[in-house]
Amino acid sequence: MNKVLMLLFVAGLAIIPLVSGDFYINLATQILIAAVFALSLNLLVGYGGLTSLGHVAFLGLSAYICAWTSTKLGVAPLVAIGLSLVITTIMSALFGLIALRATGLGFLMITLAISQVLWGLAYRWASVTNGDNGISGLTRPSLFGLSLDSASSFYWLTLIISIFAFILMAAFAMSAFGSSLQGTRDQARRMRALGYNVWLIRWITFIYSGFWAAVAGLLYVYYNKYIHPSALSVTASAEALLAVIAGGAGTLGGPIVGAALLVFLKNYASSFVERWNMLLGFIFVLIVLLMPDGIVPGVQRLIRRMRGAQS
Amino acid sequence: MQFWVVQGLNSLALGGLLFLLASGFSLIFGLMRLANLTHGAMFMLGAYIGAGLMRSVDGVSLWVAAIAGGLGVALFGWVLERFILRRLPDNPLGQVLVTLGVAFIIADACLLIWGGDPIPIPAPSYLARPLFVGGFAFPAYRLVVVLIALAAAAGLYVMIERTRLGAMIRAGVDDMQMARAVGIPVSRLFSIVFCLGAGIAGAGGVLAGPILSAYPGLDADMLPLALIVVILGGIGSLMGAFVGSFIIGIIYTFGTALLPDLAYIILFLPMIVVIAFRPQGLFGHVSA
Amino acid sequence: MSHATPALEIVGLNKVFGGLRATQDVNLHIVQGDRRLLIGPNGAGKTTLFNQITGDIIPTSGQIKLFGQDVSKLRPDQRAHLGLSRTYQIITLFPKNTILHNVALGLLGLSNERWNLFRPMARASHLHDEAQTILESVGLGAMSNKLVSQIAYGEKRRLEIALALAQKPKVLLLDEPLAGLSTQERLTVKNLIANIPKETTVVLIEHDMDTALDLAESVTLLHYGKVIVDGTREDVISDPRTREVYLGH
Amino acid sequence: MTISRRHLIQGAAGFASMAGLSAGVSTRALAQSAEPMRLGLLTVKTGPLASGGIDMERALTMFLKERNNELAGRKVELIVADTAGVPATARTKTQELVEKNKVHALVGPLAAFEALAIDDYLREVKIPTLSVAAAEDMTQRKPNPWFVRGTSSSAQCAHPMGEYCAKELGYKRMITIGDDIAFGQEMSAGFQRTFEDNGGKIVQKLFPPLTAPDYGTYVAQLKNDVDAIFLAFAGSNGFRFVRQLNEYGLLSKVKVVGGMTALDEAVLRNMGDEALGIITTCWYSADLNTPMNTKFATAFRDQFKYDPGFYAAGTYVEGQVLEAAMTATKGNVEDKEALMKALRAVKMETVRGPVRFDEFGNVVGDIYIRKVARKDGRLVNQVIKTYKDVSQFWTYDQKAFLAAPVYSRESPAAKFLEN
């Protein structure tokens, strides 16, 4: 039953370009990109109990590497993509060594600090990053001779990559390793006594999460064909974190729902509600008051209760 | 010579300003284990309340405005704690969501009420002139900020170390379960401390006004600074917040002057080093 | 393994917190298969000693040896892989998960499968079968699909032990396994402990002397972090220093 | 108060009639058709840049209202989008205006990085865009054929200021300090070039980060053996910097001059006597004494209780330019090539004075040197000198100018820095 629903959902996503205009297709593409990014953050926040306020470091790093190598070094798209993924993953391993010296608020701050250092570099290291002007002029590569310039073709590619990302991140969360990870979140001390190397589990998760953030970064930069230091700002990190928490941290659907909500409010509802920032704030407060674990767990509970009432 | 004297005084002034910002955050975190991400917005709200008051009512002095800003934000803090945060003990992610959400609301409300242009907060006229320190001109008001920060630190120290309320706070910081067990009214204590922390932030916003002004974005500029100070000094330690403020003041002031290329990251590098090698901060006992 | 090598040996162990000496020059020699009871008033440093044996706390000086191997520099998880296991005085379980999953985590910890990033945990049926067997053995088999947050306190105590037993420990540290239990429950848990295989070495902290002394073969009395008396059950009970520590001067 | 002024697209009918149009339809028929011209405004209404963004919306709304929402006989429907000052959002909002609202032309965006973020998209969808964003290369080395700028490039106003400081004020040694973004760097570079070409020396260049919490540490670094300081700040930063100079007692010791946004009318109204006498350069002043501007500035002041500044006047000018171009095309906005051609061919009198455009779509117009003075109790930027017909290339040879790298922190090199 659940599988049928999932397939229907994916089929529904796949036909969006056939039934709507470019604007909505682009909106859907952005939701998918934000969802991949939120899912990667969710591995840390939801499953690992490690609240990061600097996850854009990896999205931004991979986007900048791709834009820089493509436009300034002129390397082929596949090489640029490969370099972005490899370098970002290596950097996440290095940053993980530093960040995982702390947990809790310390971890939050150190991830914030790392992303702020990268943000500062993006502004200041203008010979590479163009500083405040950002890097423009990136073109989308073609795939097996198919151009990705149209909104719908890029959407479909994004959809396929997002589905892959979702499957691989879901498998990670539900694997034996994922169980261990959740154990370290809930009872780190006991996990050590049970023979788990808690630090190593967290570090591997940090790297895996960094890799998927890099994938989101590539989608982001090819979608926008432009990268600017604001992609590395605290606000961007906070938005992703809020998406994860609002949707439901530690659930597979939560980050997707949260990302959709945030992208929708920011880019669409803002056309009708002048004070959309305030609306966003009120929605967050309401979510916390009504569904303290986030939307997905909250709705699940509601459905269970309604079913219970019927029987 | 002039460089060192003036920048030294600048470090102190920035340190004093940071203490007014961070002490409330530290107090709240120490007792409630709550990272109040609304803190920057509360600081800004205080600044706007003060600026609005001084602008619309003639003859209101900075000191009266600071008290008004402090009380106004404390009241706001009371509502926030009483009706929202109280429902979220042991839900750190929910706390992150709600405190950031409220920060969004405050920021947008300030923009709506006071507009997008910066509003100056004048220093009292007798402090608006520069003072000559060893032959070098230095703004008199900035020196007063250092004095205010010292007085606030002393006041908080006395409150925490010498009063009944302080004793209860210390008990709660050390061991919450024990405090509950011996009959300390923990939820009332939380309300009081949250109000107090919010009030200090609000008053701090007004007192920082003659230096920073009230402008949109002040909240986002200040929140990371509060976090840096508290992390560096040690979470929940008043002493840590105090020393942390002045260390950051020195690092920032001399760092940007001597190593201008590092201006963007000068605040974050020391923090990374401190957390990496001393996760509990310079003065903290508990790990961050 | 020769009987000359003790299962757990502690040599000259010291731990200083600030000015407080929580462990003072402790030497212990526990042979394989022993049932050792650690007693002492509150604050005698019993749990602190456990925490140093498991590696949760790093001693200021001294050595801890498992079957002759110095483990003082090893992490807690590495010691677990050498056959060390423990329970906690304050219930330390995974409250969001089922009882079965709790025990399965205990099994997984020593299996290389824990590094499998993609095979679903739900499909690890052998782990779940084995966990079910262990739960049957502690009398929790019928409720294996309940969440930890839904079961009674006494059941949690038994689950604590089941989780440790899942590791098939060679040395098992039990920290007040009877704390907070009713008379009836005490009896159940006591039987559970009594039925632990003989080759497992058990070190036990317990305040309930009536029950604990029945289980113990040897006893160590700690006071202010120091070993006061150490010997067979009968020796320690009859020693005047024991009386002094417990009854005052 | 939270009701949006934006309009939803009018429904499928509008869409169908749009699709049915072809380039061959006579312009007269178009002008009479019921189909309104849809104009998108990309502005910033939330976050730190909102001050200028709100002014942009106010000015454009006022401009259209004065004309009864009709330009060149064609009804105009204004659709306002809030980019929040974030490049990625600016892109989405542009797409929304183009794809969902089917706008015929755009006014905005506000910031240079927003303009750069939508640069390739504008080329792709070919939408005539009238921007106030000052990025040099948008109209120089990488000109966008769909871009018209009626305000100025970053350095366009700084060029005459450099000459003015060296020649008229007789300054020999100066400091530049400005925001560490392209805008501040380009302005400083342009000022430095003409100042040094006229015999001056820039002995110190400072670029505080946008997020600097406090300028105290920069104020203390300023060399004191200079004639004046040039401010290349945007938004409220110039205001904060001048207040802090005053705090340190330096305002009475060293002369301060500024670029086009250092002491804009928007911040001037919150300043006191400390601002008196400061000289800045801009393509506009609310105090500009022409009948057209007096009418505009008075009306704006009556309605909003403050003087129009850079963003308000700039957007109003864009409105005037658009109207002139539409008059030339007889209201045809569907033929974008024609509209674009008409836009760049505009030569007219506006509230800022006479404007025309160069081949890159950048304005050629008067630049004013202004001095802060008190008038009727409020502070104004009083015009003290006018440079006529200033182009973005100043008096330099266009080819040589474009062959050199774009203005930046390092370019052109500062030869006289002292440390």
Side-chain angles (χ1 to χ4, degrees), chain A residues 46 167-169 171-180 182-198 200-201 204 208, chain C residues 51 56 75-77 80-81 84 86-88 92-94 96-97 101 105-106 108-110 113-121 160 163-164 167:
Chain A
I167 290 172
L168 286 173
M169 282 191 266
F172 181 88
M174 292 193 297
S175 69
F177 184 87
S179 288
S180 319
Q182 291 167 61
T184 65
R185 171 193 68 195
D186 295 336
Q187 209 61 268
R189 194 168 165 216
R190 181 97 205 204
M191 289 300 279
R192 285 189 196 101
L194 291 177
Y196 295 89
N197 186 340
V198 169
L200 190 58
I201 289 172
I204 290 172
Y208 193 69
Chain C
N51 286 339
D56 285 333
R75 296 188 309 266
D77 54 298
H81 283 267
L84 184 67
R86 73 170 294 184
T87 69
Y88 295 83
T92 306
L93 297 167
F94 304 94
K96 294 176 193 164
N97 299 121
H101 187 85
L105 274 180
L108 184 66
L110 299 183
E113 228 166 304
R114 70 186 187 282
W115 298 117
N116 194 324
L117 264 56
F118 298 105
R119 183 157 179 254
M121 178 71 171
E160 271 278 337
L163 201 44
Q167 293 175 273

Side-chain angles (χ1 to χ4, degrees), chain D residues 56-304:
Chain D
M56 284 172 66
E57 184 181 1
R58 285 181 168 170
L60 192 58
T61 312
M62 189 177 116
F63 173 82
L64 291 173
K65 212 166 151 197
E66 284 170 0
R67 283 148 185 81
N68 216 3
N69 287 322
E70 218 175 274
L71 296 181
R74 185 114 184 233
K75 273 278 169 208
V76 175
E77 185 188 349
L78 179 65
I79 305 130
V80 183
D82 177 11
T83 67
V86 176
T89 314
R91 192 180 180 90
T92 310
K93 284 293 162 187
T94 313
Q95 287 168 343
E96 180 178 5
L97 291 175
V98 172
E99 290 153 19
K100 198 170 124 229
N101 300 315
K102 314 277 178 200
V103 296
H104 299 101
L106 283 169
V107 173
L110 186 155
F113 56 78
E114 295 182 290
L116 291 164
I118 61 171
D119 179 47
D120 69 296
Y121 182 72
L122 293 178
R123 294 169 197 258
E124 186 188 316
V125 293
K126 303 182 172 38
I127 295 286
T129 303
L130 300 96
S131 181
V132 298
E136 294 269 305
D137 262 356
M138 289 289 284
T139 57
Q140 291 175 8
R141 288 157 202 83
K142 300 168 191 160
N144 184 320
W146 299 94
F147 198 74
V148 171
R149 176 161 57 208
T151 48
S152 81
S153 68
S154 303
Q156 198 167 355
C157 299
H159 284 141
M161 190 64 175
E163 183 181 297
Y164 184 81
C165 283
K167 279 191 176 162
E168 311 254 338
L169 298 173
Y171 295 155
K172 299 273 180 278
R173 295 162 55 79
M174 284 187 71
I175 297 170
T176 68
I177 180 165
D179 289 320
D180 194 15
I181 54 175
F183 181 62
Q185 290 158 4
E186 290 172 356
M187 228 187 315
S188 297
F191 178 83
Q192 174 194 321
R193 185 166 176 193
T194 55
F195 182 63
E196 294 192 342
D197 282 355
N198 285 287
K201 285 178 183 172
I202 299 295
V203 296
Q204 189 178 23
K205 286 178 93 170
L206 292 172
F207 292 105
L210 266 188
T211 50
D214 167 35
Y215 292 119
T217 172
Y218 291 94
V219 171
Q221 287 176 55
L222 297 172
K223 293 183 181 301
N224 46 24
D225 55 343
V226 295
D227 298 312
I229 306 172
F230 176 77
L231 308 184
F233 287 111
S236 63
N237 292 343
F239 157 90
R240 283 166 60 208
F241 188 81
V242 168
R243 278 178 58 83
Q244 295 190 3
L245 272 182
N246 189 39
E247 243 193 286
Y248 284 77
L250 289 174
L251 215 46
S252 55
K253 289 186 182 160
V254 65
K255 296 284 182 204
V256 174
V257 300
M260 60 183 169
T261 46
L263 284 186
D264 192 46
E265 277 80 356
V267 294
L268 214 49
R269 69 175 189 267
N270 284 322
M271 298 197 75
D273 286 345
E274 71 271 14
L276 283 175
I278 294 180
I279 295 172
T280 56
T281 174
C282 189
W283 44 263
Y284 178 74
S285 164
D287 198 44
L288 191 62
N289 194 9
T290 64
M292 196 186 268
N293 182 55
T294 309
K295 184 169 161 270
F296 160 66
T298 309
F300 191 92
R301 190 163 52 242
D302 285 348
Q303 196 173 343
F304 304 112

Side-chain angles (χ1 to χ4, degrees), chain A residues 45-46 51 53 98 101-110 112-114 116-121 123-124 234 238-239 241-242 245-246 249 274-278 280-282 284-285 287-289 292-293, chain B residues 25 29 35 37 83-84 87-88 91-98 100-102 104-106 108-112 224 227-228 230-231 235 260-262 264-265 268-269 271-272 275-279 287-288:
Chain A
V45 177
T51 312
L53 196 51
I98 305 169
R101 297 197 54 103
T103 54
L105 190 64
F107 180 82
L108 182 140
M109 283 308 299
I110 208 158
L112 170 67
I114 288 169
Q116 283 287 287
V117 168
L118 289 182
W119 175 85
L121 278 178
Y123 255 110
R124 189 62 193 82
V234 191
E239 277 173 5
L241 181 60
L242 294 176
I245 303 174
E274 184 134 338
R275 303 259 57 95
W276 59 275
N277 253 339
M278 206 183 279
L280 200 60
F282 276 115
F284 289 150
V285 173
I287 289 174
V288 171
L289 289 181
D293 312 332
Chain B
F25 185 93
F29 190 90
L37 301 178
F83 294 102
I84 300 179
R87 297 168 182 228
L88 302 169
N91 181 357
L93 291 180
Q95 292 169 350
V96 168
L97 189 62
V98 95
L100 275 179
V102 171
F104 279 28
I105 297 173
I106 294 179
D108 218 29
C110 285
L111 189 64
L112 188 69
L227 288 166
I228 290 170
V230 169
I231 288 287
I235 289 169
D261 284 346
L262 296 182
Y264 285 95
I265 55 181
F268 293 99
L269 285 180
M271 196 176 81
I272 292 175
I275 300 181
F277 294 99
R278 201 179 149 80
S287 163

Side-chain angles (χ1 to χ4, degrees), chain B residues 14 16-25 36-51 66 69-70 73-74 76 103 106-107 110 114 121 145 197-215 217-223 225-226, chain D residues 213:
Chain B
L14 184 59
L17 200 140
L18 289 175
F19 181 74
L20 293 177
L21 169 74
S23 52
F25 185 93
N36 176 27
L37 301 178
T38 316
H39 208 76
M42 288 175 161
F43 188 83
M44 176 171 83
L45 181 62
Y48 268 117
I49 292 175
V73 177
F76 181 85
I106 294 179
C110 285
W114 286 288
I121 300 179
V145 166
I200 297 173
V206 183
L207 292 171
I211 299 172
L212 299 175
S213 306
Y215 61 94
L218 180 64
D219 52 341
D221 287 353
M222 289 298 124
L223 180 63
L225 293 176

Side-chain angles (χ1 to χ4, degrees), chain A residues 15 30 100 125 148 165 198 227 242 256 268 286:
Chain A
I15 60 164
Q30 290 187 73
L100 287 171
W125 195 10
L148 292 174
V198 169
I227 182 77
L242 294 176
I256 301 176
Y268 189 75
L286 270 183

Side-chain angles (χ1 to χ4, degrees), chain A residues 144-186:
Chain A
F144 310 122
L146 288 169
S147 161
L148 292 174
D149 278 333
S150 77
S152 47
S153 59
F154 193 77
Y155 170 79
W156 274 316
L157 176 76
T158 307
L159 180 64
I160 291 167
I161 293 174
S162 304
I163 290 170
F164 261 108
F166 177 80
I167 290 172
L168 286 173
M169 282 191 266
F172 181 88
M174 292 193 297
S175 69
F177 184 87
S179 288
S180 319
L181 177 65
Q182 291 167 61
T184 65
R185 171 193 68 195
D186 295 336

